[in-house]
Amino acid sequence: IESRCPALTERGWQIMITRLAHICIESRDLEATEMFYRVLGLKRQFDFRNKQNELVGFYLAFANRTFIEIIKNTTAGGEGIIKHFAIEVDDADKAYESLKNAGYAVTEKEFAGDNNWMITCQDPNGILIELQQYTDKSMQLVGGVCEVDYEP
């Protein structure tokens, strides 16, 4: 898939984008963070260790070469906080049950304005996660305009 950024294309540059590579989350508690994402089916791909061989982070893998990087930070919660991110799931009901059964707070499934079934929860770091089940009419697949009640 080729994507072009207009500002860069005007300068004669082209960027080839194939997918989101990873997002990075700072965490005070690596173990709790990993356990949360394991409930969603992610598995550890590789570790980050410092020169003292202390585990300071790791990559968690989705099935499609997309990752979440988790880095230990005892003062997490400062600059660069992620407002939210979304994960596509094939079954929102199953994701809901998995999270609920593991003891996590999760919202009831709702049909969102962009034509997705969606549930939300927070990871142990307080980051809002939308779990979206696309439909045949999801705007992410067919495009369109999604009217929202939002004032910046």
Side-chain angles (χ1 to χ4, degrees):
I1 299 171
E2 182 176 336
S3 266
R4 292 196 171 109
C5 175
L8 295 177
T9 303
E10 289 172 8
R11 295 183 180 101
W13 300 338
Q14 292 182 3
I15 298 175
M16 300 296 287
I17 299 172
T18 57
R19 69 182 48 83
L20 176 68
H22 76 270
I23 60 166
C24 179
I25 296 172
E26 292 182 332
S27 174
R28 289 187 193 106
D29 188 336
L30 294 177
E31 183 179 349
T33 301
E34 182 178 16
M35 293 307 298
F36 173 82
Y37 287 101
R38 277 186 179 270
V39 171
L40 297 173
L42 279 70
K43 292 187 171 59
R44 196 185 294 192
Q45 182 73 13
F46 68 91
D47 295 345
F48 291 110
R49 294 191 174 270
N50 62 18
K51 291 182 185 198
Q52 294 77 34
N53 200 33
E54 173 189 11
L55 178 68
V56 295
F58 44 81
Y59 259 44
L60 299 173
F62 289 85
N64 61 358
R65 295 188 337 192
T66 302
F67 304 92
I68 297 177
E69 177 183 349
I70 309 295
I71 293 292
K72 186 175 184 178
N73 182 343
T74 57
T75 60
E79 289 184 18
I81 295 173
I82 298 169
K83 179 172 174 56
H84 81 270
F85 68 92
I87 298 171
E88 182 185 355
V89 297
D90 57 2
D91 187 335
D93 293 316
K94 188 174 179 181
Y96 174 87
E97 290 301 322
S98 294
L99 288 163
K100 202 71 159 164
N101 290 340
Y104 296 105
V106 59
T107 62
E108 296 291 327
K109 183 173 84 170
E110 65 179 61
F111 197 69
D114 53 358
N115 300 321
N116 297 314
W117 289 107
M118 183 173 70
I119 60 173
T120 62
C121 60
Q122 288 186 333
D123 82 352
N125 307 293
I127 297 172
L128 178 67
I129 301 170
E130 297 176 352
L131 294 108
Q132 300 180 334
Q133 179 183 336
Y134 291 165
T135 68
D136 291 342
K137 295 182 181 180
S138 292
M139 291 187 171
Q140 289 83 347
L141 305 178
V142 299
V145 174
C146 180
E147 185 175 314
V148 296
D149 183 17
Y150 176 75
E151 294 288 332

